[in-house]
Amino acid sequence: MPTDVWPAEWVRATLPLSVLAVVAEAETYGYAIAQRLQEAGLGAVKGGTLYPVLNRLEQDGLVTSSWREGAGGPGRKFFTVTPRGRAHLAERAAAWQTFTERATGLLPSVGSTR
Amino acid sequence: MSTSTDTYRRQLVQALQAGGVPPGRIGEVVAEVESHVADTGEDPREAFGPAREYAAAVAGPPSPGSRVWLGVVLALSAACGWLIAEGVFGVVRNEPVLGLPEGWALVAGWLLWAPAVLAQLRSRPPVPDPLTGRPMTPGRGQVVLGMTVFLAALMAACWLLAALTTA
């Protein structure tokens, strides 16, 4: 189903782990994270949704941040995953897979009219 | 920087200050918004929603302490302005204010200026830019000057009004 508009509560549920996964790929900043999420097919994530998630991850010690001078414009806040964040991601990614498999098992399969 | 970003920054800082958010954290939130919209080219209101709502989402509900300080600032400023205005009218019309010689209200008004400015400074500490450490809000000097100029202008306006209506 080629869609980029998902129910808001699905996005809310997956965003913390997805954002953590993007930061774990490489050190990055807010706008680049939003672009990466969109490329991955999760839809357009607004700044007002993204930054509270990033701040929460930082509060929980899963990522750290530092400000760096931008080229011409204002500075950029770069996020880096911590060892704890990496461990959390591995554990939750496995749990998420199990969870979605179970949910998928319960839902009618695509094309069926159960 | 565009006018809409400037306005948004001012509203966001005010809302976060009213919410009792520490200055360092306010600087972070504001810089995140500015950095993001500089990258996307969006209007900050479109990307982050109305400043007041975004501040509430970031800060949680305003702390009782911050509400008290806001109330103190408002009450002191209002009393200060009212006494000065009444004092000016009293002096021009040669009428006592609250049963006291008219000059007293004027003096009392200006005496309240100091605590009003102090409360204002206390409730709005300077917000540091997370990148440079420089303040991103008006400094203490500007707050003091702004309030003094406002009261002087109020006094002049009342004087004019009183002179015109008394003659």
Side-chain angles (χ1 to χ4, degrees), chain A residues 55-79:
Chain A
N55 291 326
R56 185 66 209 267
L57 291 174
E58 189 170 12
Q59 258 176 25
D60 292 347
L62 306 178
V63 304
T64 56
S65 71
S66 66
W67 282 92
R68 269 180 243 151
E69 209 79 55
R76 278 188 181 146
K77 192 182 195 180
F78 281 83
F79 294 89

Side-chain angles (χ1 to χ4, degrees), chain B residues 11-36:
Chain B
Q11 290 171 344
L12 189 56
V13 168
Q14 275 175 5
L16 289 167
Q17 281 175 330
V21 178
R25 180 83 191 104
I26 296 179
E28 288 274 332
V29 173
V30 172
E32 281 170 4
V33 170
E34 287 181 353
S35 171
H36 190 80

Side-chain angles (χ1 to χ4, degrees), chain B residues 36-109:
Chain B
H36 190 80
V37 298
D39 274 330
T40 62
E42 286 170 299
D43 185 291
R45 191 176 309 273
E46 186 195 317
F48 288 84
R52 206 182 278 257
E53 282 172 30
Y54 186 54
V58 170
S63 68
S66 70
R67 277 185 188 278
V68 169
W69 267 110
L70 207 63
V72 168
V73 170
L74 282 178
L76 279 173
S77 307
C80 182
W82 184 81
L83 280 169
I84 287 177
E86 282 292 310
V88 168
F89 275 98
V91 168
V92 172
R93 291 176 178 165
N94 214 5
E95 287 165 0
V97 177
L98 299 174
L100 292 168
E102 55 275 15
W104 285 36
L106 208 50
V107 172

